[in-house]
Amino acid sequence: MSEQTAQGGTPAGRRVVVVGAGMAGVQTAVALREQGFKGPVTVIGAEPHQPYDRPPLSKAVLLGKAEDSAFDVDFESLGVELRLGCEVLGLRPAEHELDTEAGPVPYDVLVLATGAEPITLPGTEGVPGVHLLRTLDDAERLKPVLARQHEIVVVGAGWIGAEFATAARETGCAVTVVEAADRPLAGALPAEVTAPMAAWYADAGVELRTHARVDHIEPGAVVLADGTRLPADAVVVGIGARPATAWLAVSGVELGPHGDVLADDRLRTSVEDVYAVGDCASFPSARYGERLLVHHWDNALQGPRTVAANVLGETPAVYDPVPYFWSEQFGRFVQYVGHHAAADRMVWRGDPEGPAWTVCWLREDRLVALLAVGRPRDLAQGRRLIEAGRRMDARALADPAKPLKDATAA
């Protein structure tokens, strides 16, 4: 990685431009001001809406309990310029300029915070009744669908599929979820952990079909590879997301195999004076010994503070968080912290058939990850134990009546 010129100090006249007006972009602008940056800051967003938070889209906004989820940020008082409804088309690092629909935009320091975009199901472009759920406009289009209590098919039993199915059942819709894998959350969690989650669907009145690959979607029906036709007034596709970085293809910014911007441990890219943060970027984790690509809200909240510190250059900061996310589905509050890929042992706390339980992952007796269902105290204590790298007593850890903080090894 090249050394950023900003590391030597950031004179007041240097202009910071942030591409992306989601959580990561907005929080970068806020963090710059909080840490004392006095120069001009511009945030460019492709959507015309006032910058907003995404998690409420699958909950309060979708259910009509909130009109929007705009950030409570006074951009004018912060001295942050917003350019909304402006798509960025390309980057020319040699000229320190962005190409946008409205013309070129010069920068001294650039922050890439374009987030991720949903993966579409091939062949569904232009098919009536097929929806995604990523933006405020997506949620607005789906609200009347739920209000009419339609028969809905959800493609994908991941986090967003489960959350949408939960909201759809709450409004009285008939919901079928189809998943190509053999279980929900197949790409995120081990089979033994997701096994009890499969029962949640039936408990909520949702039909879950696994090993169900979609052949095609036509108006009024989803046709599976085995010929089964599922009636569908509406179809919601939730099969994952990818970094929104196609516009960087010929920019010189190095991208990873998933289209992620390859940032270093200070969130600098391979191009001088360009940083990347949030869903669009991966970073090397010394804590976990691998590069992480984290598509979750907390990453978009935490990373901007590191970017701001490194833009100012007074106290350079390394980014190596303990990842965290949560999901509300089928009446359960699910929280996950850490990264379990390199774990060598798994310990259960509580009965997975019950309403509240926790799974802990250990590596060399140290807690590295934790999934808590209805046990927020486990999550809070576990997060601190992971950050501290504490060794755990596996026998004590398995006792759900014993606080996690009291299950450390002597």
Side-chain angles (χ1 to χ4, degrees):
M1 297 290 172
S2 61
E3 289 296 315
Q4 304 289 331
T5 58
Q7 280 190 287
T10 307
R14 287 175 64 81
R15 179 181 185 182
V16 177
V17 174
V18 181
V19 182
M23 172 63 81
V26 167
Q27 288 301 315
T28 295
V30 171
L32 283 166
R33 292 302 189 223
E34 287 179 345
Q35 295 182 32
F37 180 70
K38 303 298 184 184
V41 176
T42 299
V43 175
I44 302 176
E47 295 182 57
H49 310 291
Q50 192 72 7
Y52 61 88
D53 203 5
R54 294 192 188 278
L57 296 184
S58 61
K59 304 173 184 73
V61 174
L62 188 61
L63 293 171
K65 298 177 181 178
E67 289 188 8
D68 59 36
S69 55
F71 292 117
D72 185 18
V73 175
D74 188 338
F75 294 98
E76 185 174 355
S77 68
L78 284 176
V80 172
E81 177 192 10
L82 289 181
R83 295 192 183 184
L84 303 177
C86 179
E87 186 176 355
V88 177
L89 306 174
L91 166 62
R92 289 178 286 116
E95 291 81 17
H96 273 55
E97 278 191 343
L98 289 168
D99 290 320
T100 79
E101 289 179 322
V105 176
Y107 68 85
D108 295 303
V109 177
L110 178 66
V111 181
L112 308 176
T114 46
E117 56 193 5
I119 297 172
T120 58
L121 199 62
T124 60
E125 294 81 1
V127 177
V130 177
H131 300 263
L132 300 168
L133 180 53
R134 181 73 184 182
T135 68
L136 181 60
D137 288 338
D138 291 337
E140 289 297 330
R141 282 189 287 267
L142 278 165
K143 281 166 64 175
V145 173
L146 298 190
R148 289 194 292 268
Q149 297 185 340
H150 273 326
E151 196 163 16
I152 296 175
V153 173
V154 179
V155 181
W159 300 111
I160 191 65
E163 290 187 2
F164 177 79
T166 299
R169 284 299 297 146
E170 189 172 327
T171 62
C173 295
V175 182
T176 299
V177 176
V178 297
E179 169 58 53
D182 61 347
R183 62 189 189 277
L185 296 167
L189 296 169
E192 57 266 49
V193 176
T194 61
M197 296 178 171
W200 299 355
Y201 288 76
D203 291 346
V206 175
E207 181 182 1
L208 172 64
R209 289 174 171 254
T210 56
H211 298 286
R213 190 171 297 277
V214 174
D215 182 79
H216 67 277
I217 298 174
E218 57 191 46
V222 173
V223 182
L224 303 181
D226 65 2
T228 301
R229 294 175 62 85
L230 302 175
D233 297 306
V235 179
V236 176
V237 178
I239 56 175
R242 62 167 64 93
T245 57
W247 65 282
L248 292 168
V250 295
S251 66
V253 172
E254 189 177 358
L255 302 179
H258 303 288
D260 46 310
V261 177
L262 296 178
D264 70 3
D265 63 358
R266 295 184 184 178
L267 299 181
R268 300 170 297 188
T269 75
S270 59
V271 170
E272 191 173 29
D273 296 324
V274 180
Y275 294 79
V277 66
D279 289 6
C280 71
S282 63
F283 56 89
S285 170
R287 185 191 308 276
Y288 291 106
E290 62 181 282
R291 178 170 286 274
L292 300 182
L293 175 58
V294 181
H295 283 181
H296 293 298
W297 183 90
D298 192 63
N299 179 51
L301 176 67
Q302 303 295 338
R305 298 167 189 164
T306 298
V307 169
N310 290 322
V311 168
L312 270 73
E314 296 168 3
T315 53
V318 168
Y319 191 59
D320 194 6
V322 175
Y324 165 74
F325 73 89
W326 79 95
S327 176
E328 296 177 66
Q329 51 184 268
F330 309 121
R332 293 165 175 85
F333 187 43
V334 183
Q335 296 173 283
Y336 178 95
V337 65
H339 181 64
H340 68 268
D344 54 36
R345 185 173 184 182
M346 190 169 70
V347 178
W348 288 85
R349 286 169 59 80
D351 180 4
E353 303 301 322
W357 46 272
T358 295
V359 178
C360 300
W361 285 272
L362 305 176
R363 185 178 65 214
E364 298 176 350
D365 294 328
R366 287 186 171 85
L367 189 65
V368 294
L370 180 149
L371 176 80
V373 177
R375 291 180 66 97
R377 183 172 297 178
D378 276 4
L379 190 288
Q381 294 181 9
R383 189 173 192 172
R384 290 192 289 269
L385 291 167
I386 294 171
E387 290 170 345
R390 294 293 301 275
R391 288 187 179 276
M392 307 300 295
D393 179 337
R395 184 180 298 244
L397 192 63
D399 181 357
K402 181 182 287 290
L404 266 177
K405 62 183 177 62
D406 295 336
T408 55

